[in-house]
């Protein structure tokens, strides 16, 4: 049985050495400005090249994280970063952005790409979609259970990687806008300020409760099960953690994988000492949710000095991780001596030394050669055997033997660290299709059936988006002279797909002609239904090439990210008709846990609920498909009095109704049609200030 690869974090050169010496099979690191841990130390140009050599010498793979959303202006730099890394021999690149993914697939067709967890992959269909587009590996959402993971492993041709240990985000990765909207620091851009670690109140003032702060995950006990089901890689989280933490956690998991077993009590204690938040949780893997998953870490938590001192001793000596080398040396009369060095990976090199002289006093022996060739300390190699062929009566200076050994190991190192030959193709031209509109038509999304009032329908928005599960309650649609569209659930699982497919067929029978897809896994679910497919905000469209990619996937329009500034939206090449949310409470999080039920007052999702922060702001909590929770911003975006949003080339401008009454929906749409001022408090969102 093939064991999963162990992938460890390397937030700095020190952490990289710690991970390698502790037994990692691969490391992931940030180089340049485009990675999801931009606050980590990361690597300079020189350090990155050295990291590749250090790891490849020792048989460890290196994955580069380019897993952030990237603007049009940044795309050339991100692509050039990937090109340089490819030339240096990086083993794969992790990507979130659709535009960068498509660009790299076409520019660097031999460079392995991994779909970051930021792509929000949690179904077999979504993972197969990425595999079909050339992804070597998919990194699943942390919320996936054992059953979810097993189904994806069985049904996806790409490799499957899961997070086995470390911090859990409260929101599905790639779908969190809380840090961005509240503070301008985007988690999708590697600048998350971790607002989930702050105190909040559910339907009460914020106090000393932390309803968004999950414990760290620990799946160490599940290693035999994960190996048996065919998981390809276990990822350890922690690029922001110190090298000692990386050494401790990597060492424990490496031993467990080597012996295919669960942890001892002592090993669990070491993991908890290294870092935990009120202990660990494995509930997502078990398919469980609830308040028992949550925990905090005191700011003054003591450092485990003894444990970390042991960890430093492990990696600072730089001697724990070596490569076996077999030598074959030949010393015959009248011919230059030769030394061949071979490693377990199939690399073989041969070097030549001086011609041995006739011995004057003592003859050279095979035992003497074996002793001298075995002195590989400090090189990254361990002599695993010497085969010596020596004629009698010859002499060879010790300095010559040592020089042969050094030369052979240098040649073997060069072979081991040599970058693979990969194709490099020119940057493909961008699709010249221009779908920019002189002014956008209004679209409306609703949350409740009551919001679909006759007055609203009479105002003739171009499209009305209705949650798919809400359409299930309709036996007929109201009269309306526009396009009815179904909003597919942003989060679901494989086992939900038969139900969703039936709901889509029912919606189509009602007269629905379009579907709003906010996840790449929606596309296989929608195929064959003859519905118009439009991209939703969950796809995180951040650049023109993302629009081009989605056009090739069959989408007919796409909602752009609300983390873009108005000027950035204006400058997008409208390869597809583009839409933007111009009104409404922006969705900050979608959580696997039901926050209301976790609060201890039972599930009361059928009434208004709020998350309250320390400033007194209240964030409405809406129930969504699968008994999940969507956190809405405390204030709605308002742009009606900003006519510049109408000059961005948008084809559609969406009004997103969540908590509004039917009368408020009508009033707001009328104000947008008239370009009027807001009726109450509002925000401009990120359209003016943008994000880091």
């Amino acid at each position: 049985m093939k064991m999963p690869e162990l992938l460890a974090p390397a937030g700095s050169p020190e952490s990289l050495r710690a991970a390698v010496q502790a037994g990692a099979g691969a490391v992931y690191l940030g180089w340049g400005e485009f990675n999801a841990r931009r606050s980590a130390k990361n690597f300079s140009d020189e350090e990155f090249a050295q990291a590749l050599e250090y790891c490849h010498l020792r048989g460890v793979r290196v994955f580069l994280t380019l897993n952030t959303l990237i603007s049009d202006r940044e795309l050339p730099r991100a692509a050039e970063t990937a090109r340089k890394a490819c030339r240096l021999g990086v083993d794969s690149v992790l990507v979130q952005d659709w535009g960068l993914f498509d660009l790299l697939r076409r520019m660097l067709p031999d460079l392995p790409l991994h779909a970051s967890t930021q792509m929000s992959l949690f179904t077999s269909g979504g993972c197969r979609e990425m595999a079909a587009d050339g992804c070597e590996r998919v990194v699943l959402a942390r919320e996936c259970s054992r059953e979810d993971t097993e189904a994806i492993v069985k049904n996806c041709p790409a490799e499957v990687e899961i997070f086995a240990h470390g911090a859990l985000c409260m929101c599905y990765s790639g779908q969190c806008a809380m840090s961005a909207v509240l503070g301008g620091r985007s988690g999708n851009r590697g600048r998350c300020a971790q607002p989930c670690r702050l105190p909040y109140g559910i339907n009460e003032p914020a106090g000393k409760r932390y309803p968004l702060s999950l414990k760290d995950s620990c799946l160490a006990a599940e290693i035999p099960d994960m190996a048996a089901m065919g998981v390809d890689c276990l990822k350890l989280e922690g690029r922001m953690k110190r090298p000692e933490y990386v050494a401790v956690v990597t060492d424990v998991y490496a031993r467990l994988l080597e012996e295919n077993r669960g942890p001892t009590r002592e090993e669990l204690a070491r993991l908890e000492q290294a870092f935990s938040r009120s202990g660990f949780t494995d509930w997502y893997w078990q398919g469980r949710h609830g308040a028992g998953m949550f925990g905090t870490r005191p700011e003054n938590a003591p450092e485990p000095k003894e444990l970390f001192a042991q960890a430093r001793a492990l990696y600072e000596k730089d001697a724990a991780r070596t490569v076996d080398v077999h030598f074959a040396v030949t010393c015959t009369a009248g011919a230059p001596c030769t030394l061949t060095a071979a490693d377990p990976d199939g690399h073989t090199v041969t070097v030549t030394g001086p011609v041995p002289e006739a011995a004057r006093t003592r003859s050279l022996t095979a035992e003497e050669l074996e002793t001298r060739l075995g002195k590989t300390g400090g090189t990254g190699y361990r002599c695993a055997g010497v085969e010596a062929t020596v004629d009698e009566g010859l002499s060879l200076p010790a300095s010559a033997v040592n020089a042969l050994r050094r030369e052979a190991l240098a040649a073997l190192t060069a072979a081991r660290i040599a970058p693979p030959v990969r194709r490099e193709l020119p940057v493909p031209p961008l699709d010249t299709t221009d779908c920019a509109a002189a002014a956008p038509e209004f679209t409306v999304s609703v949350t409740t059936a009551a919001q679909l009032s006759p007055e609203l329908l009479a105002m003739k928005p171009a499209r009305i988006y209705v949650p798919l599960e809400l359409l299930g309650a309709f036996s007929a649609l109201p009269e309306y002279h526009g396009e009815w569209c179904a909003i597919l659930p942003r989060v679901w699982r494989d086992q939900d797909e038969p139900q969703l497919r039936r709901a889509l067929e029912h919606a189509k029978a009602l007269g629905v002609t379009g579907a709003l897809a906010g996840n790449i896994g929606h596309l296989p679910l929608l195929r064959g239904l003859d519905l118009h497919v439009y991209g939703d905000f969950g796809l995180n469209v951040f650049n023109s090439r993302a629009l081009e990619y989605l056009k090739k996937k069959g989408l007919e329009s796409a909602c752009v990210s609300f983390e873009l500034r108005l000027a950035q939206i204006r400058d997008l090449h409208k390869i597809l008709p583009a839409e933007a949310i111009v009104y409404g409470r922006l969705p900050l999080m979608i959580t696997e846990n039901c926050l209301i039920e976790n609060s201890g007052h039972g599930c009361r999702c059928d009434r208004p609920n709020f998350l309250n922060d320390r400033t007194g702001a209240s964030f409405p909590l809406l129930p969504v498909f699968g008994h999940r929770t969507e956190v809405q911003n405390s204030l709605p975006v308002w742009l009606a009095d900003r006519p510049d949003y109408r000059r961005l080339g948008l084809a559609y401008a969406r009004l997103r109704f969540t908590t509004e009454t039917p009368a408020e929906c009508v009033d707001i749409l009328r104000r947008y049609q008239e370009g009027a001022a807001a009726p109450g408090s509002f925000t401009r969102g990120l359209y003016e200030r943008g994000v880091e």
Side-chain angles (χ1 to χ4, degrees):
M1 179 174 62
K2 180 184 175 184
M3 297 302 291
E5 179 177 58
L6 181 60
L7 177 59
S12 67
E14 296 78 16
S15 291
L16 179 136
R17 287 206 347 265
V20 171
Q21 293 300 322
V27 296
Y28 61 103
L29 54 82
W31 175 47
E33 57 192 303
F34 308 109
N35 73 89
R37 289 293 181 268
R38 289 164 66 190
S39 297
K41 183 178 178 182
N42 292 314
F43 289 74
S44 67
D45 290 1
E46 182 181 2
E47 288 169 340
F48 180 62
Q50 291 172 346
L52 285 167
E53 293 185 2
Y54 181 87
C55 290
H56 287 167
L57 166 61
R58 292 162 177 81
V60 176
R61 301 205 294 167
V62 179
F63 303 159
L64 175 64
T65 57
L66 289 179
N67 54 339
T68 62
L69 298 182
I70 296 171
S71 69
D72 274 342
R73 288 189 178 184
E74 295 167 334
L75 261 178
R77 300 202 305 277
E80 186 58 25
T81 298
R83 191 192 295 275
K84 289 179 180 177
C86 183
R87 289 173 181 168
L88 288 169
V90 78
D91 294 284
S92 80
V93 173
L94 282 91
V95 182
Q96 171 189 11
D97 189 277
W98 303 113
L100 180 63
F101 168 72
D102 191 44
L103 184 59
L104 296 185
R105 186 72 288 125
R106 297 158 72 189
M107 282 176 51
L108 304 167
D110 302 324
L111 175 64
L113 297 182
H114 293 182
S116 168
T117 189
Q118 295 283 114
M119 281 187 174
S120 307
L121 296 172
F122 39 71
T123 64
S124 298
C127 293
R128 283 197 305 270
E129 199 76 12
M130 296 313 302
D133 283 351
C135 251
E136 177 189 77
R137 178 180 290 182
V138 294
V139 187
L140 302 189
R142 292 167 172 88
E143 292 85 351
C144 286
S145 69
R146 182 201 179 282
E147 287 70 24
D148 301 329
T149 304
E150 186 173 33
I152 292 170
V153 169
K154 286 180 178 177
N155 293 298
C156 176
E159 296 177 357
V160 172
E161 175 179 310
I162 65 171
F163 278 87
H165 192 95
L168 289 172
C169 294
M170 185 61 189
C171 178
Y172 274 80
S173 290
Q175 302 302 309
C176 187
M178 196 166 194
S179 179
V181 171
L182 300 188
R185 295 178 56 183
S186 170
N188 283 315
R189 303 264 292 160
R191 292 292 194 191
C192 181
Q194 296 192 319
C196 52
R197 302 303 178 188
L198 298 174
Y200 297 91
I202 306 289
N203 297 323
E204 63 184 12
K208 295 184 178 180
R209 296 189 179 184
Y210 295 81
L212 304 183
S213 181
L214 285 160
K215 295 178 181 178
D216 279 20
S217 176
C218 178
L219 302 184
E222 312 302 330
I223 282 176
D225 189 25
M226 291 186 287
M229 75 170 64
V231 169
D232 295 281
C233 180
L234 304 185
K235 173 177 277 184
L236 310 176
E237 182 275 337
R239 277 196 289 149
M240 300 292 289
K241 301 283 201 319
R242 54 193 296 169
E244 295 88 343
Y245 167 88
V246 174
V248 170
V249 176
T250 304
D251 179 58
V252 170
Y253 275 82
R255 291 176 187 275
L256 301 184
L257 282 165
E258 183 179 6
E259 299 169 19
N260 192 19
R261 62 174 174 83
T264 64
R265 188 172 299 177
E266 187 273 336
E267 287 167 330
L268 283 174
R270 290 179 64 203
L271 292 173
E272 191 163 347
Q273 267 188 287
F275 190 92
S276 76
R277 291 182 171 90
S278 311
F280 295 120
T281 182
D282 64 354
W283 280 18
Y284 279 151
W285 182 259
Q286 303 299 341
R288 300 176 62 190
H289 315 107
M293 297 184 68
F294 292 77
T296 58
R297 183 174 177 83
E299 290 185 10
N300 59 350
E303 176 189 310
K305 293 182 179 179
E306 184 178 347
L307 179 66
F308 280 2
Q310 294 170 355
R312 281 191 295 274
L314 171 71
Y315 70 83
E316 285 182 346
K317 291 180 181 178
D318 214 26
R321 189 68 170 270
T322 56
V323 177
D324 285 351
V325 58
H326 285 80
F327 291 116
V329 60
T330 301
C331 287
T332 57
C337 59
T338 62
L339 177 63
T340 298
D343 67 18
D345 301 315
H347 301 102
T348 301
V349 297
T350 300
V351 296
T352 303
V355 176
E357 298 177 354
R360 294 181 182 178
T361 55
R362 187 171 61 84
S363 298
L364 179 68
T365 66
E367 291 76 14
E368 184 180 349
L369 282 174
E370 291 171 9
T371 299
R372 293 202 172 277
L373 292 174
K375 295 179 178 180
T376 57
T379 65
Y381 293 97
R382 184 187 76 86
C383 180
V386 177
E387 181 183 333
T389 302
V390 185
D391 286 353
E392 292 184 5
L394 297 180
S395 172
L396 191 66
S399 59
V401 178
N402 292 338
L404 267 178
R405 184 190 66 239
R406 288 193 296 268
E407 189 179 347
L409 292 182
L412 188 59
T413 296
R416 290 181 64 82
I417 69 174
V421 177
R422 290 168 173 159
R423 289 172 293 168
E424 290 187 19
L425 304 180
V427 176
L430 194 64
D431 188 328
T432 57
T433 304
D434 185 5
C435 298
E441 296 182 88
F442 290 114
T443 63
V444 164
S445 69
V446 300
T447 303
T448 67
Q451 291 169 333
L452 292 171
S453 64
E455 294 81 5
L456 184 76
L457 300 178
M459 298 174 77
K460 299 180 180 178
R463 297 175 183 164
I464 292 182
Y465 304 119
V466 185
L468 180 60
E469 53 269 39
L470 186 59
L471 287 167
F474 283 75
S475 56
L477 291 173
E479 184 177 346
Y480 157 64
H481 300 289
E483 184 177 22
W484 290 101
C485 300
I487 307 172
L488 274 70
R490 240 195 319 164
V491 176
W492 76 104
R493 292 294 191 271
D494 280 13
Q495 61 264 31
D496 300 318
E497 294 198 354
Q499 171 193 347
L500 296 177
R501 186 81 177 190
R502 289 191 297 270
L504 283 165
E505 291 168 348
H506 171 73
K508 186 178 178 183
L510 291 174
V512 169
T513 57
L516 207 52
N519 185 280
I520 200 71
H522 285 148
L523 304 189
L525 186 59
L526 288 165
R527 290 198 179 105
L529 288 174
D530 196 27
L531 292 168
H532 301 290
V533 180
Y534 309 126
D536 205 358
F537 60 84
L539 289 171
N540 291 323
V541 174
F542 215 75
N543 55 62
S544 304
R545 288 193 182 270
L547 290 172
E548 182 180 34
Y549 172 75
L550 294 176
K551 178 184 178 181
K552 289 187 290 187
K553 301 297 287 183
L555 274 67
E556 298 179 48
S557 73
C559 183
V560 301
S561 169
F562 50 75
E563 294 189 21
L564 289 168
R565 298 191 308 276
L566 293 177
Q568 290 174 308
I569 297 175
R570 177 199 64 209
D571 293 341
L572 290 174
H573 296 278
K574 309 302 190 298
I575 297 161
L576 276 179
E579 180 177 36
I581 296 173
V582 299
Y583 169 80
R585 298 179 185 272
L586 296 177
L588 304 184
M589 283 188 175
I590 182 165
T591 70
E592 185 68 11
N593 271 271
C594 173
L595 299 183
I596 300 96
E597 187 173 41
N598 284 357
S599 66
H601 302 294
C603 187
R604 31 180 278 179
C605 298
D606 57 343
R607 65 185 83 176
N609 294 284
F610 297 90
L611 176 77
N612 300 308
D613 72 8
R614 298 172 301 169
T615 71
S618 290
F619 304 87
L621 301 176
L622 298 185
V624 292
F625 182 82
H627 200 192
R628 300 174 177 96
T629 301
E630 192 173 78
V631 182
Q632 315 298 318
N633 196 19
S634 58
L635 294 173
V637 167
W638 188 270
L639 295 180
D641 56 338
R642 285 286 305 270
D644 47 345
Y645 85 86
R646 300 180 63 83
R647 298 192 290 268
L648 304 178
L650 293 169
Y652 302 101
R654 187 190 308 182
L655 281 64
R656 185 174 187 266
F657 296 131
T658 51
T659 60
E660 292 81 2
T661 66
E664 287 171 336
C665 294
V666 171
D667 177 58
I668 290 164
L669 178 53
R670 182 176 294 113
R671 287 173 184 267
Y672 265 79
Q673 290 174 337
E674 297 170 354
S681 299
F682 65 90
T683 176
R684 300 294 190 192
L686 297 164
Y687 292 129
E688 292 179 342
R689 59 191 173 111
V691 293
E692 292 183 35

